[in-house]
Amino acid sequence: MDMLVNTGGVVHKRLYVLQQQRPISHFGSFSNCTPRQLTVTCASTAVTTPTTAAPHPPTLKHKRPQNVEGDFYVNHKCIDCDVCRWMAPETFGRVDGQSAVYKQPYTAEERTAALQALLSCPVGSIRTEQPPSDILQVHSTMPLSIDEKSLPGVYHCGYHSKKSYGATSYLIKHPKGNILVDSPSFKEKLASQIDELGGARYMFLSHRDDVADHDKWARRLSCDRILHINEVQSHTADVEMKLEGQGPWSLDPDIDLIFTPGHTEGSVSLFYKPFKALFTGDHIAASHNGELNYFEKYNWYSVEKQVENIRPFLQMDFLWILPGHGRRIKFENINEKNAAIEKLLSGVGLYN
């Protein structure tokens, strides 16, 4: 696996810029207040009337009142990214537009999951009343195996970055070189754990939003970054491998890169064929209710193209969707997968 192979045309070696010539089809408490005196002046006399100062609003670091009592809590810094709610659903829920602790962790497993969510919160809004004595042990659990039975060697990196708005990143352990999928926040503890798993040969960046600390990871792991040329900006101008055209491109016979523009102009998905896993960036994901969504509100390029580029997924043999934003989902079979996609497309009137 010395370099990418463009299955649609010619690969140009210069700066690893990859071009293809045959396009494929196109497939969103207040603090206690202190009284002050207000002087009211009338025509013939002055009357001093006591009043109460306007309460100071809570600071971002204050505990949200929606949390239940106990050690864990969420403060007002929460950006409602949903990460803690799918990482530790027994502890965190959504209340009044932000996350909150609705039940304190009870079992050891619940506590570990809550601490993993604490470490992964992109803005550090999850806190504990007392410093957790077991936090170093929890650091050592990262990255997290997603499903050892049906998705062996695929990990959730954790440590979501505020630079990528809390996007999820992954590690694929591959016999010809491991692959980071999008960028977590750079943490030396995580880098050491990745070293133990064999390091990384590539960092696949699905699109411009989720690049986070790509440069730090590239230096630390000596991995080549892959990004479509339409997504390149000043801070990613030095990525080692730039994709051009509409692909598809092949990292290895079992890994294809699929052009899926829409959310952004050059969004690309990664298809890990042996384990029927599709890493979709922000192209498509599951919502909290388990239904597929393309999050039109957060589309930066073309909603129409994004929806069009979901349609070819009906012909693809995958069961896992592993997104950057949103929730991952595993379907029981191809029929269930296709039914979910058909439902999504029918809702926007583009599938007949």
Side-chain angles (χ1 to χ4, degrees):
M1 196 161 69
D2 293 333
M3 67 170 60
L4 286 174
V5 175
N6 186 326
T7 58
V10 178
V11 178
H12 292 268
K13 296 182 181 179
R14 183 183 179 186
L15 295 178
Y16 289 97
V17 174
L18 309 180
Q19 295 182 311
Q20 62 78 240
Q21 298 176 334
R22 188 182 67 223
I24 61 173
S25 300
H26 285 296
F27 313 17
S29 145
F30 294 116
S31 302
N32 292 330
C33 300
T34 55
R36 63 182 175 88
Q37 299 295 312
L38 175 66
T39 300
V40 180
T41 304
C42 301
S44 59
T45 186
V47 181
T48 300
T49 305
T51 186
T52 302
H56 296 290
T59 69
L60 292 176
K61 294 183 179 180
H62 283 176
K63 181 192 303 185
R64 298 191 70 221
Q66 292 87 348
N67 295 283
V68 299
E69 290 298 319
D71 190 30
F72 284 82
Y73 66 91
V74 179
N75 66 26
H76 289 271
K77 291 172 63 179
C78 175
I79 60 172
D80 195 28
C81 70
D82 192 42
V83 170
C84 66
R85 303 194 293 265
W86 58 259
M87 288 189 69
E90 302 86 359
T91 298
F92 301 100
R94 190 173 192 265
V95 186
D96 299 333
Q98 291 179 302
S99 292
V101 174
Y102 74 90
K103 184 177 74 70
Q104 292 292 332
Y106 179 71
T107 66
E109 292 78 9
E110 289 177 354
R111 178 175 174 83
T112 296
L115 287 173
Q116 290 167 338
L118 179 154
L119 293 175
S120 298
C121 177
V123 293
S125 68
I126 302 173
R127 301 287 179 172
T128 56
E129 297 285 0
Q130 301 297 325
S133 60
D134 49 348
I135 194 67
L136 291 179
Q137 295 172 258
V138 176
H139 272 293
S140 69
T141 65
M142 306 290 216
L144 304 170
S145 177
I146 292 175
D147 188 320
E148 293 182 359
K149 183 177 180 180
S150 66
L151 207 56
V154 177
Y155 300 84
H156 165 211
C157 291
Y159 302 106
H160 296 227
S161 173
K162 64 181 179 181
K163 296 178 184 177
S164 60
Y165 316 103
T168 304
S169 59
Y170 305 90
L171 177 71
I172 300 172
K173 188 172 171 59
H174 193 275
K176 295 184 180 178
N178 297 345
I179 305 162
L180 270 174
V181 178
D182 288 324
S183 174
S185 178
F186 182 80
K187 305 291 181 184
E188 180 56 38
K189 292 182 178 66
L190 178 60
S192 296
Q193 294 291 101
I194 292 175
D195 282 340
E196 292 187 13
L197 291 168
R201 181 171 185 179
Y202 298 112
M203 171 177 276
F204 166 71
L205 301 170
S206 61
H207 65 296
R208 70 189 67 177
D209 296 345
D210 297 351
V211 300
D213 291 333
H214 69 97
D215 48 348
K216 295 179 181 178
W217 283 107
R219 289 193 297 270
R220 172 61 176 78
L221 298 176
S222 299
C223 58
D224 288 340
R225 294 159 292 175
I226 304 168
L227 181 66
H228 196 281
I229 197 166
N230 290 348
E231 300 297 292
V232 173
Q233 298 176 304
S234 59
H235 60 288
T236 50
D238 63 343
V239 297
E240 290 77 15
M241 306 172 79
K242 298 179 176 73
L243 305 175
E244 285 193 358
Q246 297 181 332
W249 308 267
S250 178
L251 265 182
D252 193 74
D254 60 0
I255 296 179
D256 285 346
L257 306 182
I258 301 168
F259 192 51
T260 50
H263 171 71
T264 60
E265 186 178 2
S267 290
V268 177
S269 299
L270 185 150
F271 184 25
Y272 192 15
K273 293 183 282 188
F275 299 106
K276 302 179 185 296
L278 186 66
F279 298 81
T280 57
D282 290 348
H283 187 57
I284 188 173
S287 299
H288 67 280
N289 61 6
E291 295 188 353
L292 295 181
N293 202 319
Y294 58 91
F295 304 107
E296 179 178 354
K297 178 181 178 181
Y298 302 104
N299 180 282
W300 311 125
Y301 177 56
S302 168
V303 172
E304 182 178 359
K305 283 189 177 294
Q306 185 171 0
V307 174
E308 287 176 357
N309 287 314
I310 292 171
R311 188 193 303 273
F313 289 174
L314 291 166
Q315 309 304 319
M316 292 177 60
D317 185 18
F318 65 86
L319 298 176
W320 282 94
I321 290 177
L322 299 108
H325 291 96
R327 301 190 181 194
R328 63 179 179 253
I329 186 170
K330 179 180 184 276
F331 300 101
E332 291 299 319
N333 51 57
I334 294 298
N335 289 338
E336 184 183 38
K337 181 263 290 184
N338 284 348
I341 294 173
E342 289 169 0
K343 183 176 181 180
L344 174 64
L345 295 177
S346 66
V348 293
L350 292 180
Y351 177 74
N352 297 311

